[in-house]
Amino acid sequence: MIRSELDAAGIYDPRLRHAYRRCRQLNAAHGRTFFLATRLLAPDQRPPVHALYGFARYADDILDSLNPGLGKDIRAKRLQQLSDQFFAGGDHLGEPILAAVSHTARRYDIGAELFEDFLTSMRMDLTVSEYPNRDALNTYMRGSAEAIGLQVLPILGTVVPVAEAVPYAAALGRAFQLTNFFRDVDEDLARDRVYLPADELAADGVDRDLLMWCHRHRRTDNRVRNALAAQQGIIRSTYRFAADGIPMLAPRSRPCVATALTLYSEILDCVEDKDFEVFGQRATVGQARRLRVAGAGLIQAWRARSAASDVSEFESGAA
């Protein structure tokens, strides 16, 4: 399977193939819903998407998942080293993840500014632990979420001028990350971070102290429950806007994106079904439901690729 994907993508250099395999392994291990959705992409699209995920995961590991005893100064230094290596150019064949993402960026002409925006937001996580309002949070998400959506867009392809699809791709990246913030309030507090706008929480009488009380006691105060319900409404509206961009994508990419949107948005339902009890438990979409949605998407993906193949063969015969 992996070999056929790399062959379809025209990646034959053994060192590059190793690099892309490494990124795929990271995606499969850490991004279960996202990885499941990538199975609906055409084989040639999967390796570059895995490469982008691998790079994002690499940076995230520097911030959170390495030795917890590492101080912020060391993490900042390692993040800067990653940035310097990436922007120095070259093939990076000695660093598998950098090799794959650099190859993908060149091949799909993904702007360097999107990677700079991403790394800028990653640096913010070293010094910023809360956001006073929606504008401040959006500044962070411009690099941490929207940039990811825009990096993927050239791989997905569009049937409209790319500029028309940009706002919707950015919104989808933002919706995915807002969903994570909504679900992972408890985990983020353990890292001394709050990714919900402070002024919007305050409207329901919620502050950081109350969130920490909920974190310690593993229960959701009614004021926090009301605040989360309000956040849920904002995220749902973001998904509705992003969904309007799916018809702008290349037909073969639509089932993947629609499946990812459906599964991520249903995390909101799972949290609501648990009466917003996000402390001490993590809401997930059940495996059976994930497979049903993915199965339906897979059928749509096969049909789209088959239709595209028929058109291609017809055009070749006509020529």
Side-chain angles (χ1 to χ4, degrees), residues 219-240:
R219 53 182 291 195
T220 303
D221 181 275
N222 280 334
R223 290 165 291 179
V224 174
R225 185 173 286 108
N226 292 335
L228 290 175
Q231 293 299 309
Q232 182 191 54
I234 293 171
I235 302 170
R236 288 195 189 282
S237 68
T238 307
Y239 274 117
R240 286 193 293 271

Side-chain angles (χ1 to χ4, degrees), residues 56-68 70-72 75-76 78-79 118-119 121-127 140 191 193 195:
R57 183 72 199 187
Y58 191 8
D60 189 62
D61 281 349
I62 291 174
L63 291 171
D64 293 322
S65 301
L66 295 174
N67 182 347
L70 290 179
K72 290 184 179 180
R75 293 181 190 276
R78 292 189 178 183
L79 197 60
F118 168 73
L119 290 168
S121 288
M122 295 303 96
R123 293 186 190 99
M124 290 175 66
D125 273 332
L126 293 170
T127 58
Y140 171 77
R191 298 187 178 105
R193 297 178 193 153
Y195 289 106

Side-chain angles (χ1 to χ4, degrees), residues 140-152:
Y140 171 77
M141 288 194 296
R142 183 165 60 244
S144 63
E146 294 180 9
I148 305 297
L150 299 183
Q151 288 170 10
V152 173

